[in-house]
Amino acid sequence: MRFGTTLGSAGQDRSTWLVLLFLLLGVVAPTACVLWFMNDAATSQAESARQSVTEAYRGQLRLIRDRVDSYWETRATALAEQAGTPEDFSRMVKGGLADSLVYLHADGSPAYPSTAQAPSADPAADRTDWRIAQTLEEREHNIPGAIGAYAGIARLEPEASLAARAAQAHIRNLLRFGNRDAATAAILEYFAGGRLASATDLQGRIIAADEHLLALRLLARGDGRRPAVLQRLIGFLNDYRFPIPSVQRLFLMDEVLATGVKPETFPTYAAERLAAQLLEAEPVRPGAGLESTRVPDLWKLTAKGGRMVLLLRSASVMNSMRTWLKEPGFEVFPPAIKPRNEAIAAGPMLPGWQVAFTSQNDRLMEAASRRRTAYLWVGYVVVASMIIAGLLLGQTLRRQFRLARLKTDLVAAVSHELKTPLASMRLLVDSLLEDAELDPQKTRDYLALVAGENLRLTRLIENFLTFSRIERNRQRFEFTEAQPASIVQSAAGAVQERFQQAGCHFVVAADSSLPPIQADADALATVLVNLLDNAYKYTSGEKHIALRAFYESGSVVFAVADNGIGIPPREHKRIFRKFYQVDQRLARETGGCGLGLSIVDHIVRAHGGHVGVKSQPGEGSTFSVSLPSRRSDGRAAA
Ligand code: ADP
């Protein structure tokens, strides 16, 4: 019977794996299936909810489309009431009603913003004073003369436009003459305010605005007059009551922006630029509904009556729809975007556009996915706690199994080991009883044999009892100050009778000067008797057994040496396991049950020491028990 291997670490590993396998099959796999079902159910629930919402929304989608269409219809109609002045342009743009717009004349040509105007007939052409000034400047290159002539007209001419043009020519000639300071002073004098401030030239441009830009260029950066000039120019450009043509306004705005002022200075700049971009790209004609333009991502909406064209970027259309609809979940998309959810074509006012539902569904899907994640987390936590509980349960079960097995093994070992000595004692007694006359010598011999078997039985039972106490944690030690020599003597005394037989040479060596140790002397004697017993059992033929006690590196060492069969090195650790035997057949013959060394190990550990073995097959064995000693002088004893 070889019990050791069944209780070894391999056996423990196997039972742990079995518990894990059981957990996997019994707990994890079903839970994973449940989780999968839950996940699947949550997904299909979300899907069916999405479908029913889609159904409900589909009907609403048509209503939304009609509302959107009538919104644009109404907007186009409402815009028809606009007068269409540059002031209206500024107001509409600043009010965020459009990204830009273009007012049209009755003939369909752009009124504001517009492309450059053709010059009108020159009223000065017939005037003698003007012609003289022109001749002086252009033919005779008499600049001082021209300066005087133009200055005269500018001062005396009652008609503002003509006076302003003369002033402009005066300034021009001052510059040609190289007199920058005089030119700057003249600009400020003529145009800083007064009657010439809003005079226009033949192309309808405000002369004062152009002259202010000129002054800005002439004035040095640090000149104290510069900020006022800049402010006045910005004022001109932002004041839509001034009839500045859009081309001039945009040009001047660009120039001013180039000097480094902030873009917010001109709230209408982007709208002016957008309109100019469109006017450059295509002739703006009145149309119907929201139509695409040649400018990418730009849409135009013609007001009823055809006099006003609203310009809108896709994002502005979508934003205005979002705020106006006030219906979360619906959105309007330009042709370039493909909505994620179901969409239908928008009405005739928005050709190519689509109406779709969005956010409601997204929110629904988000809620579903949140729910699914929560389910999964709950599942993970449940599985994890089941695994932990299962592991704890497995551990407890394993311990119970081990104990139950130990009990069975012990019962089997006890009954098996008791059988042999009992049988041989009965045999000896029976054969004595069979004799009619008792032969004194034979009787003595037989009784000696019976006594030997009895001793063996007693030791076996003692070992069983010690083992059982150890297993039940009932083994108590009584530590007292013990003399190593007396422990050696009591162990040697216990085996003496057997060891004194022929063929056995027993040596005992223990110095009485060895330091005392804290020990349970009886328990240590049991240890040595067990080791001596083994030495006797596992040595065949001539036996040489030695029991020694000596001092070595802070420890008292008890060594039991024999010249027996020896133990292979790979077995040196295993022999200390419970019920472990190297050779089962031999053990049966010698009458062991594999408990002796496990008891030895337990007792020595309880004393804070350790057992070692030196052995090779065929070369005998030496078992050493080292116990800590308090003596520090290192005196060795033989
Ligand atoms: P057993 O009751 O079988 O002797 P032990 O626990 O005392 O049990 O010893 C375990 C095993 O160790 C033995 O079965 C034997 O194989 C081996 N063993 C112990 N002492 C010796 C020894 N002195 N020489 C050879 N083998 C030994």
Side-chain angles (χ1 to χ4, degrees):
M1 232 192 320
R2 190 164 174 169
F3 303 100
T5 44
T6 50
L7 293 166
S9 65
Q12 287 176 11
D13 284 356
R14 207 170 49 231
S15 58
T16 310
W17 280 114
L18 274 174
V19 168
L20 282 177
L21 190 72
F22 165 77
L23 268 179
L24 197 74
L25 293 175
V27 178
V28 182
T31 316
C33 288
V34 171
L35 280 180
W36 180 79
F37 276 127
M38 274 163 64
N39 182 31
D40 207 50
T43 314
S44 31
Q45 187 207 357
E47 181 55 28
S48 71
R50 201 174 73 86
Q51 270 173 8
S52 49
V53 170
T54 305
E55 283 303 318
Y57 273 37
R58 203 168 280 152
Q60 232 181 321
L61 208 54
R62 289 187 199 98
L63 291 175
I64 298 283
R65 182 208 36 212
D66 295 345
R67 276 178 61 195
V68 167
D69 206 55
S70 74
Y71 164 85
W72 287 98
E73 187 86 48
T74 318
R75 198 163 168 187
T77 314
L79 291 173
E81 289 153 21
Q82 296 283 332
T85 61
E87 276 179 272
D88 289 332
F89 174 91
S90 158
R91 191 173 40 76
M92 293 276 288
V93 168
K94 285 187 196 157
L97 295 172
D99 290 313
S100 184
L101 45 102
V102 176
Y103 290 112
L104 302 174
H105 288 298
D107 64 358
S109 62
Y112 192 92
S114 64
T115 40
Q117 273 180 33
S120 55
D122 186 0
D126 305 332
R127 292 177 55 139
T128 325
D129 53 355
W130 190 268
R131 273 215 305 276
I132 291 168
Q134 264 184 329
T135 313
L136 283 169
E137 181 189 1
E138 287 160 20
R139 289 220 199 112
E140 295 173 11
H141 304 292
N142 178 355
I143 305 302
I147 290 171
Y150 281 127
I153 301 172
R155 236 184 349 266
L156 301 172
E157 174 57 46
E159 204 275 309
S161 172
L162 212 60
R165 284 173 61 203
Q168 199 176 21
H170 174 201
I171 294 159
R172 183 173 67 230
N173 281 292
L174 280 172
L175 281 177
R176 285 176 79 180
F177 199 62
N179 201 342
R180 290 168 67 98
D181 289 343
T184 314
I187 294 171
L188 298 180
E189 188 186 323
Y190 285 127
F191 297 108
R195 67 187 186 107
L196 302 192
S198 55
T200 57
D201 66 8
L202 294 179
Q203 276 95 16
R205 292 184 302 229
I206 301 276
I207 296 169
D210 283 347
E211 291 306 308
H212 269 74
L213 179 66
L214 182 61
L216 212 57
R217 284 177 181 157
L218 291 173
L219 285 167
R221 283 236 160 235
D223 195 304
R225 293 169 293 175
R226 209 179 136 87
V229 172
L230 182 65
Q231 276 318 310
R232 256 200 318 277
L233 183 52
I234 293 170
F236 278 136
L237 298 174
N238 278 336
D239 190 346
Y240 275 75
R241 286 168 307 177
F242 273 107
I244 305 181
S246 51
V247 183
Q248 187 194 12
R249 195 186 296 270
L250 198 56
F251 167 76
L252 290 173
M253 280 178 173
D254 277 331
E255 293 297 311
V256 173
L257 285 172
T259 66
V261 303
K262 288 195 194 116
E264 302 87 79
T265 312
F266 302 118
T268 54
Y269 175 78
E272 291 277 2
R273 172 114 336 272
L274 199 61
Q277 212 180 331
L278 180 68
L279 289 165
E280 217 167 87
E282 65 178 50
V284 179
R285 304 245 179 277
L290 199 66
E291 297 164 300
S292 62
T293 65
R294 283 196 195 153
V295 176
D297 194 44
L298 188 68
W299 302 86
K300 60 175 194 178
L301 176 74
T302 311
K304 283 273 148 57
R307 297 291 296 277
M308 181 203 218
V309 176
L310 220 57
L311 304 182
L312 293 153
R313 296 221 179 259
S314 299
S316 309
V317 176
M318 289 172 79
N319 276 340
S320 67
M321 286 289 81
R322 228 170 270 147
T323 18
W324 175 77
L325 268 175
K326 287 195 201 96
E327 196 83 51
F330 291 96
E331 211 156 334
V332 174
F333 289 98
I337 298 180
K338 192 178 172 338
R340 269 195 298 149
N341 294 312
E342 196 164 306
I344 57 168
M349 285 301 284
L350 281 89
W353 284 67
Q354 309 133 87
V355 181
F357 49 83
T358 52
S359 53
Q360 194 76 11
N361 258 345
D362 287 351
R363 252 181 276 146
L364 201 80
M365 294 313 282
E366 263 171 40
S369 114
R370 264 204 307 276
R371 211 167 34 238
R372 196 164 57 231
T373 317
Y375 285 163
L376 286 176
W377 269 111
V378 170
Y380 293 147
V381 171
V382 168
V383 172
S385 30
M386 281 171 107
I387 288 177
I388 292 170
L391 282 176
L392 291 176
L393 185 77
Q395 192 92 344
T396 317
L397 280 178
R398 210 157 55 85
R399 211 172 294 143
Q400 294 298 330
F401 283 151
R402 203 177 131 268
L403 269 177
R405 174 146 231 140
L406 218 57
K407 277 181 195 156
T408 332
D409 289 349
L410 194 62
V411 170
V414 168
S415 37
H416 179 263
E417 298 313 326
L418 295 188
K419 219 164 70 188
T420 323
L422 280 176
S424 60
M425 279 196 288
R426 204 182 61 216
L427 204 72
L428 289 166
V429 174
D430 282 353
S431 75
L432 276 183
L433 288 176
E434 270 169 21
D435 293 347
E437 288 270 322
L438 283 178
D439 170 23
Q441 185 56 41
K442 186 183 170 190
T443 309
R444 178 168 292 280
D445 289 349
Y446 274 31
L447 282 177
L449 285 172
V450 169
E453 287 301 323
N454 199 300
L455 193 72
R456 194 170 136 198
L457 248 179
T458 312
R459 223 166 265 146
L460 260 176
I461 287 168
E462 257 168 26
N463 262 357
F464 284 139
L465 289 176
T466 314
F467 176 75
S468 154
R469 273 198 301 275
I470 291 171
E471 280 304 311
R472 285 180 296 131
N473 262 337
R474 293 278 156 82
Q475 177 74 356
R476 297 278 173 266
F477 296 103
E478 288 202 3
F479 290 95
T480 52
E481 198 167 88
Q483 293 300 328
S486 70
I487 296 171
V488 166
Q489 287 312 323
S490 93
V495 295
Q496 202 170 19
E497 206 177 326
R498 230 178 340 145
F499 281 39
Q500 273 172 355
Q501 288 167 14
C504 183
H505 308 276
F506 183 39
V507 179
V508 179
D511 189 342
S512 56
S513 67
L514 276 174
I517 47 173
Q518 279 297 315
D520 182 323
D522 288 346
L524 280 190
T526 308
V527 164
L528 297 182
V529 169
N530 262 305
L531 294 176
L532 289 167
D533 234 13
N534 279 352
Y536 189 88
K537 280 194 293 183
Y538 300 110
T539 307
S540 45
E542 203 70 7
K543 300 180 206 289
H544 290 275
I545 299 170
L547 169 61
R548 289 192 175 85
F550 51 92
Y551 186 84
E552 191 179 79
S553 355
S555 297
V556 169
V557 183
F558 298 92
V560 176
D562 64 54
N563 61 331
I565 56 169
I567 308 159
R570 65 169 193 287
E571 305 281 4
H572 285 187
K573 267 198 177 153
R574 295 182 202 158
I575 51 173
F576 292 98
R577 289 183 197 155
K578 292 156 197 162
F579 298 104
Y580 191 85
Q581 292 172 318
V582 177
D583 186 337
Q584 208 180 329
R585 192 186 45 80
L586 183 68
R588 198 170 299 143
E589 279 170 17
T590 56
C593 63
L595 289 178
L597 287 182
S598 73
I599 292 170
V600 166
D601 190 50
H602 178 85
I603 295 173
V604 174
R605 273 176 201 274
H607 281 74
H610 72 269
V611 198
V613 57
K614 276 188 190 150
S615 182
Q616 283 294 336
E619 292 178 15
S621 315
T622 303
F623 284 83
S624 316
V625 172
S626 303
L627 297 173
S629 155
R630 266 178 288 162
R631 194 174 82 174
S632 57
D633 61 8
R635 191 149 55 92

